[in-house]
Amino acid sequence: QMFYECAAADGLSKPEHDWIYAHQISYQPNMSAEQLGELKKILKGESEAPSADEVDKFFADWGDGIRRMIVWNLVEACYADNQYSELEGEAVAKYAARLKVPESDVKEIEEIVGSLMT
């Protein structure tokens, strides 16, 4: 859901949609039909976002490197259409804060990914 929310902050483009779908399939190769159905709902904007508490609970025991990697992937998803809008940046910042990734790290990730994607 967080990939969808960030990339769709300025409207979900086909390249962003495809990037998110491929990313989720590659990281979750054993997704059930039900999980694939839920992913499709999320990509269509038909599923509710998890609450901040749900996100915090899910990532509570994850290390800093994993949290940074997730922010990196969020930024990549937004850049899939070779654009990174202010709205996308705000959505990424919201999730990065939930993940407790420092703002300075987010800015560094945005700069690096931006230099690689454009």
Side-chain angles (χ1 to χ4, degrees):
Q1 181 71 38
M2 70 175 105
F3 288 99
Y4 171 79
E5 275 194 33
C6 292
D10 63 350
L12 188 68
S13 69
K14 174 99 169 89
E16 290 168 334
H17 171 279
D18 294 348
W19 189 98
I20 294 167
Y21 191 78
H23 179 270
Q24 294 303 304
I25 295 296
S26 67
Y27 277 88
Q28 305 290 334
N30 298 320
M31 290 178 85
S32 68
E34 182 180 331
Q35 290 170 317
L36 284 171
E38 181 61 22
L39 176 59
K40 288 178 183 177
K41 283 183 186 176
I42 289 169
L43 290 172
K44 291 179 182 177
E46 298 171 355
S47 183
E48 283 189 37
S51 69
D53 288 341
E54 290 171 318
V55 172
D56 291 344
K57 184 178 177 183
F58 183 79
F59 291 110
D61 296 326
W62 291 38
D64 292 342
I66 297 293
R67 293 167 191 257
R68 284 177 49 92
M69 182 195 70
I70 292 167
V71 172
W72 181 288
N73 289 154
L74 290 171
V75 174
E76 277 187 323
C78 294
Y79 263 116
D81 60 359
N82 294 318
Q83 299 175 43
Y84 188 71
S85 73
E86 186 176 322
L87 292 172
E88 289 171 326
E90 290 169 4
V92 168
K94 177 181 84 171
Y95 277 105
R98 286 185 186 176
L99 294 167
K100 297 178 178 47
V101 174
E103 186 177 334
S104 60
D105 289 3
V106 175
K107 295 295 179 198
E108 180 182 18
I109 290 167
E110 289 172 331
E111 288 177 19
I112 293 168
V113 173
S115 71
L116 296 171
M117 300 292 282
T118 55

